[in-house]
């Protein structure tokens, strides 16, 4: 977290698709963890995991998340759609589709736009 805090980012979205990335120390100012370090360094939004992840489920989830992101949907909509797809397609256990949480702004991307 110290290293991240010392870097200035201009990232709209940071995705931390590994186990327990939402963890942190509970302090007076709230939960202090890696997500907060990224936000403090300039990232507008961070996708984190609340608990241990299954490799296959995470692979499917991220595929659906990014598929929707490329279509221009907001990060929160992508999260919702990926969770819904998981529940309806062989990943119905809560531990498979519900570990991810979005912290920060609800960002979106517009790929292929001309400047």
């Amino acid at each position: 977290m110290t290293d991240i805090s010392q870097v200035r980012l201009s990232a709209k979205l940071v995705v931390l698709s590994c186990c327990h990335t939402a963890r942190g120390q509970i302090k007076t100012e709230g939960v202090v963890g890696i997500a907060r370090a990224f936000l403090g360094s300039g990232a507008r939004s961070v996708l984190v995991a609340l608990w241990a992840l299954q490799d296959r489920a995470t692979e499917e989830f991220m595929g659906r998340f990014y598929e929707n992101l490329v279509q221009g949907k907001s990060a929160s909509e992508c999260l919702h759609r990926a969770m819904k797809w998981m529940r309806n397609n062989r990943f119905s256990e809560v531990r498979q589709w519900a570990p991810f949480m979005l912290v920060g702004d609800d960002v979106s991307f517009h790929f292929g736009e001309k400047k």
Side-chain angles (χ1 to χ4, degrees):
M1 290 187 307
T2 303
D3 291 341
I4 295 165
S5 298
Q6 295 174 357
V7 175
R8 296 303 317 154
L9 299 174
S10 61
K12 272 188 170 182
L13 176 66
V14 173
V15 176
L16 303 173
S17 60
C18 56
C19 302
H20 305 288
T21 51
R23 278 189 180 169
Q25 295 178 343
I26 299 173
K27 298 192 175 203
T28 307
E29 62 273 17
V31 178
V32 178
I34 194 165
R36 187 165 173 171
F38 274 106
L39 291 171
S41 290
R44 289 190 44 210
S45 187
V46 184
L47 184 68
V48 292
L50 296 164
W51 55 75
L53 306 170
Q54 296 177 336
D55 291 342
R56 183 71 183 123
T58 302
E59 180 182 351
E60 286 293 333
F61 183 93
M62 285 298 149
R64 302 304 162 206
F65 179 82
Y66 283 114
E67 188 177 274
N68 285 288
L69 200 62
V70 168
Q71 293 174 8
K73 293 176 179 51
S74 71
S76 66
E77 179 69 14
C78 296
L79 181 61
H80 169 75
R81 286 174 178 248
M83 287 179 171
K84 186 176 179 179
W85 186 92
M86 295 289 285
R87 287 191 314 267
N88 295 326
N89 292 277
R90 306 179 321 272
F91 298 96
S92 59
E93 295 178 39
V94 171
R95 65 189 173 109
Q96 296 174 312
W97 61 264
F100 293 101
M101 176 178 76
L102 191 64
V103 181
D105 295 336
D106 188 16
V107 299
S108 60
F109 296 85
H110 302 287
F111 298 100
E113 284 185 355
K114 294 182 181 182
K115 293 184 179 186

